[in-house]
Amino acid sequence: MKTSIFKNSVVASFLVCTTISSCSESGQVENVQSSEVVVKPTNFIIIFADDLGYGDLSSFGHPTIRTPNLDRMASEGQKWTNFYVGASVCTPSRAALLTGRLPIRNGMTSRINRVLFPDSKNGLPQTEVTLAEQMKKAGYATAAIGKWHLGHKEEYLPTSHGFDYYYGIPYSNDMDNVIPFRSAGGYFSFWKSEERKDIKTFNVPLMRNTEIIERPANQHTITRRYTEETISFIKANKEKPFFVYLAHNLPHVPLFVSEKFEGTSPRGIYGDVVEEIDFYIGKILDALDENDLTKNTLVVFTSDNGPWLIMNQEGGSAGLLRNGKGSTWEGGMREPTIFWAPGSIKPGIVTDLGSTMDLFTTFSNLIGAPVPDDREMDGVDLGPTLFEGKPSPRNNMFYYRGDWLYAVRVGNYKAHFRTQEPYGPDVVEHETPLLYDLNIDPSEQYDLAHEHPEIIEQIREVVEAHNEKMVKGPDMLKDREGNSSQ
Ligand code: MG
């Protein structure tokens, strides 16, 4: 029997209704609280972890990392198990979240899987519209707290992209002094040295708006300080609508933790770091409660890309997903994601597809800011799923690495047209793509290409339609002094 992968199959609806609420026989979700008046959230907080894997929260199956606050958010809100980022490394993933577009469209990628370095001259182009700029149109107070990594020259910093306020390390927490190790070819062996445990080894700056206020940033206290800044901003703006983009630098290596958490997790220092992040997320929830903001604030938690597996015990885990950061296997781009807004989000586990790129459209619709219509957008509105328990309108996911499309998911099925190890030089082109049913085989172990050639044909049609509308942006990462590197 031939199989179709196109929306909206009863299977897709059924998956939602078994997990969110009750269903009618036709597979549609019934709104069991339809008589209740749902107050949609007016404040938004996005908490973005760095290099945290799909399997690194207790609510996503980690056996020894304890994340009670995130677990509470998952049980009171929606836990999304098929939620994707726009790229498997830091810079393009952040660009995707903030613009609602695949990074290839705005030049925040390149033929190799590059990210911005401290000697990069460029950043997110001004022609892009960010989620913060959308919020500004609707009168929001906006803050970016934490890692930026979309250009650290003044014209690319958060304050030039719609944020009223910025406090954070403008790129990854391993950059600056690590560059010599990298160009000498010894970057990864460096991570076995004791030097990695000293903040002075990493000369990263801490900025307030456009000024450097501390260098090297004391990374032992950075998670706490990002939290304090977030809470201060919330309190100062509680009378008006606010948007906070809180992008933790951790648990990206180097791993630093405060004294209070040092040596406390059975998972070792990586667990200490994740548990500290969780603890301070609890403090943000407490602050919302104390300021009577819980009922109208939506908090989203996710991660920018999968675990950095090459860091061994100091990298995270993608759980049952294959591979990690830098790859287009599921472990690189599927992230543990939670939406929390008590009183408005229908609690449950959502197995439908979603993406960080959807936050732009979803939030824009909630605040009444028109989504730009002069460019291709890659997001959909997840509001009906969040607030009414309806199926997600997203049916596809495109997995790019640099400028190249490596894989495509349509419905349950994912076809890999090319594969490559995160740091392997060899690209393997698959004339007959590898094909996996991700509902049955989330670990991508059992290739179904020869059983379902018709599905591959249907996915090829999706790719063709996608390519027809693809306009690539300029390469904003090419203009780097020194050697280009991963
Ligand atoms: Mg990252």
Side-chain angles (χ1 to χ4, degrees), residues 49-51 89-90 94 147 252 304-306 325:
D50 195 356
D51 292 6
V89 291
C90 303
R94 286 152 206 276
K147 174 171 170 175
H252 188 295
D304 70 331
N305 51 250
K325 175 177 179 172

Side-chain angles (χ1 to χ4, degrees), residues 264-299:
T264 57
S265 171
R267 168 61 176 86
I269 186 171
Y270 185 89
D272 295 344
V273 168
V274 175
E275 292 186 13
E276 180 164 23
I277 289 172
D278 177 82
F279 174 83
Y280 283 110
I281 287 172
K283 294 294 175 199
I284 294 171
L285 302 185
D286 289 347
L288 291 173
D289 203 28
E290 287 158 16
N291 290 280
D292 199 23
L293 293 164
T294 299
K295 63 182 182 306
N296 60 344
T297 302
L298 192 161
V299 183

